[in-house]
Amino acid sequence: MVSKQQYLLMVKKDIDSFRARHPITTYEHYRELIRRVAAGEEKVIISEKPLILAMTSGTSGASAMLLSTKATNTEFFMQGVAVCLDAMRQAFPSTDSLQRTTKFFYTPTFRQSEAGIPIGPNSSTPASSRSMLNLYTTPAPAYEVTSERDALYLHLLFALKDPCVGTLESNFASTVFYAFTALQERWQELVEDIEKGTVSHTLALEDDVRAKLEAVINPDPKRAAELRAQFLMGIGGIAKRLWPHLHLVLAVDSGSNQIYGEMLRESFCQGVPFYSPFYAATEGLIGVNLWPLQQKRCYLLCPRSMFCEFLPEKSLDEDAPQTLLMDEVKEGDSYELVITNASGLFRYRIGDIVKVVGFHNQCPIVEFQYRRGQMLNVRGEKVSETVFLAALKKSVALWPGCQLVDYCCAESGILGDSIGGSDPHYQVFLELRGVRNLTEEQRYKLDICLQQESNIYKSFRIKGSIGPMRVQLVAEGAFKELRKKMMDFSNTSPNTFKMQRVLRRREYADFLLGKTVS
């Protein structure tokens, strides 16, 4: 009989041997191996054939291709979906009902590798959720529509028809936000379709799909009149007025999606609780949120989903950094995650920086902080997304009548001669609601707020090593267009898209410069 202490010593010895023999890896260690898998070579990296070659969202660089297996999908469901559903029902008992959910997700376009392996996102899709489609307000034929714009219209049309919608769901809060902005633009057309029992002829639908949809939508003048009256009252709190029995918005609203969650709560979804269930990536399930009612989004790491190591934030740039294990991390400190999973990634740096905020049964609870590739860095100052957003929110609060819609930044180096000036600086692109122009004093306020948030940035500004940031206001809808350009370039699905906060491609920055109105 092995004692607990002896067992722990054996495990510790195995872990130490693993870490001593296997180096820390990045995507470059796997690129060629995955190319061979895509070409049909067997038993490379893993023994089984992958279900799909999963594309990352490309938030902090070019999209990468990773292996997705049945085991990782099973772990995601058992340790992620099942656990979060239980947490959700305990926190929001009213969600345990027969009300339908409106789920904003889309049918992605998959391509095939040389060996016939599907290449695309590994997030939930209508095809992978086939057995659950009857839980949603959108009828099955609508999922045959591949145009995001047309599919979104159909999601909204059938959601509006049902006054008893209980939950609005999507992978990310950004998708829900874009849905409400589309609703704001097209509500009259949608209400007219409900009134007449038609499907708008502005949608490019196959004849058989249109016929199937029109067969399940009947004229409903009464519901149309109710909807019209609510829209004419304005958008504030519109979700709860359209669907009086709405209990929850279920979507990740941490990290780069934080501002979309905040905007939804302040405008369209006033009074509706939000639950951000997962911390996940293409690499697999990382953590689950067991505290739905807590305002700060924190996630319990899932040790059976993947083996986690931790690189202290201060050692990220070392040539041979030493990792810590779960029992060695400290509350209040930040680390880059290094993961080993069942899909062939070993001691892999995923680029996510998390902060340990507590422990649950000795397992770390973390808050997502930022992506390494999404840091502003023109002189070695390394301003993270978290720090910049805090400064931006503080600044926007000082601009009367102003509401932030979206933002991103570019380092002056990628823009070259197109912006003039020699001092390295940040080019900041803002889409705002409520103002058409900002004074030079207001623009400078953002620079001051960032100096207050980052002492290192402040020191470089005082020395003159970094010039003042340049703040550009872009036209309404510019970020919506940028989102489409980014998805088209990277073949990213709307289900997995995340807005890049630091632009690394000059054409994206040039596009926003062309959309500048002030």
Side-chain angles (χ1 to χ4, degrees):
M1 182 77 175
V2 178
S3 70
K4 181 179 179 182
Q5 187 175 9
Q6 289 173 315
Y7 173 75
L8 291 174
L9 285 171
M10 291 165 59
V11 171
K12 180 81 165 62
K13 185 178 179 181
D14 286 346
I15 291 173
D16 288 344
S17 299
F18 171 61
R19 294 158 83 195
R21 296 184 181 194
H22 203 294
I24 292 174
T25 62
T26 65
Y27 187 69
E28 289 308 310
H29 290 91
Y30 301 90
R31 188 185 299 277
E32 175 59 20
L33 297 172
I34 292 173
R35 186 200 64 76
R36 287 161 54 190
V37 173
E41 190 172 338
E42 296 181 356
K43 297 186 178 180
V44 180
I45 308 180
I46 57 175
S47 60
E48 62 192 291
K49 183 178 179 179
L51 293 178
I52 65 168
L53 297 169
M55 299 299 297
T56 65
S57 61
T59 310
S60 54
S63 292
M65 189 186 297
L66 300 173
L67 309 184
S68 181
T69 66
K70 184 178 180 180
T72 51
N73 287 3
T74 300
E75 284 299 317
F76 194 99
F77 183 83
M78 296 302 294
Q79 291 201 59
V81 176
V83 171
C84 288
L85 281 175
D86 184 62
M88 181 180 78
R89 284 175 181 147
Q90 288 187 45
F92 310 105
S94 53
T95 60
D96 191 9
S97 69
L98 296 178
Q99 291 172 262
R100 289 184 183 241
T101 292
T102 292
K103 182 164 184 176
F104 297 106
F105 67 155
Y106 303 91
T107 299
T109 301
F110 283 88
R111 63 187 197 276
Q112 301 288 315
S113 76
E114 298 167 64
I117 304 170
I119 302 174
N122 69 342
S123 63
S124 64
T125 64
S128 66
S129 309
R130 199 175 295 112
S131 62
M132 300 174 64
L133 295 184
N134 63 320
L135 301 177
Y136 306 136
T137 52
T138 307
Y143 295 112
E144 298 174 38
V145 178
T146 54
S147 159
E148 182 195 357
R149 184 176 186 274
D150 291 348
L152 175 53
Y153 185 94
L154 295 171
H155 282 314
L156 293 171
L157 177 64
F158 287 94
L160 289 174
K161 271 193 65 66
D162 186 348
C164 296
V165 170
T167 302
L168 301 178
E169 179 183 352
S170 192
N171 287 349
F172 300 118
S174 59
T175 313
V176 182
F177 177 76
Y178 293 132
F180 273 100
T181 57
L183 180 61
Q184 188 177 6
E185 293 167 6
R186 305 187 72 178
W187 70 264
Q188 290 171 306
E189 188 180 358
L190 287 157
V191 170
E192 187 175 323
D193 272 348
I194 289 170
E195 187 172 47
K196 297 178 180 178
T198 57
V199 176
S200 174
H201 285 282
T202 63
L203 277 58
L205 305 178
E206 297 290 337
D207 290 344
D208 62 327
V209 172
R210 181 177 291 279
K212 291 174 187 174
L213 292 171
E214 289 182 341
V216 295
I217 184 167
N218 299 314
D220 194 344
K222 182 182 176 184
R223 177 61 176 161
E226 293 170 354
L227 294 168
R228 190 174 284 115
Q230 295 302 326
F231 282 114
L232 290 172
M233 291 170 61
I235 63 157
I238 189 71
K240 197 70 174 171
R241 289 187 282 114
L242 297 175
W243 302 290
H245 308 287
L246 184 64
H247 305 301
L248 186 67
V249 175
L250 180 62
V252 171
D253 63 355
S254 54
S256 61
N257 277 273
Q258 180 184 338
I259 65 166
Y260 303 112
E262 290 173 354
M263 287 189 291
L264 285 167
R265 283 187 286 271
E266 290 168 4
S267 56
F268 304 110
C269 297
Q270 291 173 13
V272 184
F274 280 61
Y275 176 33
S276 182
F278 307 122
Y279 171 24
T282 307
E283 292 83 357
L285 176 68
I286 301 171
V288 290
N289 180 0
L290 300 184
W291 306 274
L293 298 174
Q294 193 168 300
Q295 191 171 3
K296 269 192 172 291
R297 306 311 190 207
C298 53
Y299 305 90
L300 176 69
L301 294 180
C302 299
R304 291 196 318 179
S305 176
M306 52 179 70
F307 172 62
C308 288
E309 299 173 66
F310 303 81
L311 282 175
E313 190 175 28
K314 62 185 179 182
S315 65
L316 297 182
D317 295 323
E318 293 179 6
D319 292 334
Q322 297 298 306
T323 61
L324 302 176
L325 300 177
M326 280 189 174
D327 62 336
E328 297 172 321
V329 297
K330 294 180 180 178
E331 185 173 342
D333 287 353
S334 294
Y335 306 88
E336 180 182 354
L337 289 176
V338 176
I339 62 102
T340 298
N341 69 7
S343 299
L345 297 176
F346 297 91
R347 307 197 74 203
Y348 180 71
R349 295 181 71 162
I350 65 173
D352 284 6
I353 311 301
V354 299
K355 181 179 181 180
V356 176
V357 295
F359 295 87
H360 178 75
N361 294 336
Q362 300 182 315
C363 188
I365 303 166
V366 301
E367 282 180 5
F368 178 87
Q369 297 296 293
Y370 60 91
R371 294 276 298 160
R372 279 195 76 201
Q374 288 284 280
M375 297 184 84
L376 288 162
N377 188 24
V378 295
R379 288 288 194 193
E381 71 283 5
K382 297 180 182 175
V383 173
S384 72
E385 178 183 336
T386 307
V387 170
F388 186 86
L389 180 57
L392 179 58
K393 287 163 65 176
K394 187 187 293 185
S395 182
V396 169
L398 299 173
W399 301 338
C402 179
Q403 182 184 4
L404 178 66
V405 175
D406 224 327
Y407 81 97
C408 65
C409 309
E411 296 164 356
S412 56
I414 73 162
L415 289 159
D417 297 332
S418 63
I419 54 170
S422 56
D423 290 337
H425 62 272
Y426 304 158
Q427 198 82 15
V428 181
F429 301 99
L430 303 178
E431 185 174 334
L432 303 175
R433 187 175 292 130
V435 296
R436 294 185 177 181
N437 194 11
L438 290 175
T439 65
E440 287 305 314
E441 183 182 355
Q442 287 174 316
R443 294 170 202 257
Y444 187 58
K445 185 66 70 175
L446 176 55
D447 198 290
I448 295 298
C449 288
L450 185 56
Q451 291 182 46
Q452 292 169 352
E453 292 292 326
S454 170
N455 289 328
I456 298 176
Y457 177 76
K458 182 178 181 178
S459 69
F460 279 113
R461 287 286 292 113
I462 291 171
K463 289 186 289 187
S465 303
I466 297 178
M469 68 175 70
R470 301 185 183 181
V471 180
Q472 316 280 149
L473 264 63
V474 299
E476 183 180 350
F479 275 86
K480 192 174 180 181
E481 293 181 53
L482 178 64
R483 174 177 176 269
K484 187 175 187 309
K485 289 179 81 72
M486 288 178 168
M487 287 194 296
D488 289 344
F489 175 80
S490 61
N491 290 316
T492 304
S493 161
N495 300 328
T496 58
F497 177 80
K498 298 174 190 172
M499 178 57 69
Q500 297 173 22
R501 299 304 177 196
V502 179
L503 302 178
R504 300 298 183 195
R505 299 186 66 84
R506 177 167 177 166
E507 53 264 46
Y508 296 154
D510 284 340
F511 171 79
L512 289 178
L513 280 173
K515 293 289 181 179
T516 297
V517 294
S518 168

